Amino acid sequence: NSFRSGALRGMRRSEFPRRVDEIGSFAEVEQVIDPPTKRYSSGMYTRLAFAVAAHLEPEILLVDEVLAVGDSAFQKKCLGKMEDVAGQGRTVFFVSHNTQAVRQLCTRCILLEHGRVVVDAPTDEALGIYNQRLREMRVDAETGINNPGNRRGSGPIRFTRVSGEGTGGEEGYGVAFGSRNGEAGG
């Protein structure tokens, strides 16, 4: 499985034996490296695919939401590997909605909307525009949620206030939602 995947990505047969242990260890599938990938879960398959691609030493590494699978330790390991690849002067093209990962890994971002480039800028600038667009987004029938004002749900229950209480019964904090005639509540 790993050999076939590596061969499809350009790894030479002579390279594979020295790399298979490293790839299996990185993907954390070394105990199950021999069975056919059709028996792998989607997470195991994605881990193995990323490990093979990242260990091929490509000039351009294209990664599309690989961090959506796996636990946080594996996600951290993937980010570290992508940083290593980029640090060696190779290009990492990272597609993600995870702004923390984008900020950690990228120096420049391209924001697409409906398949068109809206922003091509340094990371902080691009993420600022991305976050502003999210804040301005209207949630409506077009997005699949039919309540105005970015509210979700059918409306039978509405929270108007949330507060916390200290051990002595005193209010520790409070948050009011909406307003009616200048008063808290809604």
Side-chain angles (χ1 to χ4, degrees), residues 153-165:
S154 59
I157 297 175
R158 180 170 291 175
F159 291 96
T160 58
R161 183 166 172 76
V162 175
S163 64
E165 191 175 282

Side-chain angles (χ1 to χ4, degrees), residues 14-59:
S14 61
E15 283 182 272
F16 194 76
R18 67 183 171 87
R19 295 279 180 117
V20 71
D21 291 338
E22 184 180 352
I23 290 168
S25 176
F26 184 92
E28 299 171 5
V29 296
E30 58 266 46
Q31 296 87 0
V32 293
I33 199 88
D34 293 326
T37 54
K38 68 181 178 182
R39 294 196 179 115
Y40 282 18
S41 68
S42 60
M44 289 169 61
Y45 189 82
T46 303
R47 283 171 176 252
L48 182 60
F50 177 82
V52 169
H55 286 83
L56 287 178
E57 299 179 3
E59 287 302 312

Side-chain angles (χ1 to χ4, degrees), residues 28-139:
E28 299 171 5
V29 296
E30 58 266 46
Q31 296 87 0
V32 293
I33 199 88
D34 293 326
T37 54
K38 68 181 178 182
R39 294 196 179 115
Y40 282 18
S41 68
S42 60
M44 289 169 61
Y45 189 82
T46 303
R47 283 171 176 252
L48 182 60
F50 177 82
V52 169
H55 286 83
L56 287 178
E57 299 179 3
E59 287 302 312
I60 299 173
L61 178 61
L62 176 60
V63 182
D64 185 4
E65 292 288 4
V66 71
L67 302 178
V69 299
D71 57 26
S72 58
F74 182 71
Q75 292 174 9
K76 185 176 181 178
K77 191 179 348 182
C78 288
L79 279 173
K81 186 64 177 175
M82 288 185 278
E83 285 177 328
D84 290 347
V85 169
Q88 295 169 4
R90 294 182 275 151
T91 301
V92 177
F93 191 84
F94 180 53
V95 179
S96 183
H97 292 93
N98 180 336
T99 56
Q100 286 182 305
V102 168
R103 184 167 273 117
Q104 178 182 339
L105 187 63
C106 303
T107 58
R108 184 160 203 83
C109 294
I110 297 172
L111 175 61
L112 300 175
E113 190 172 274
H114 304 293
R116 298 191 190 283
V117 174
V118 207
V119 176
D120 179 355
T123 300
D124 285 336
E125 182 182 336
L127 289 179
I129 294 167
Y130 173 75
N131 288 327
Q132 182 63 37
R133 285 176 170 264
L134 285 179
R135 284 190 294 276
E136 294 170 354
M137 185 185 301
R138 298 248 341 133
V139 179

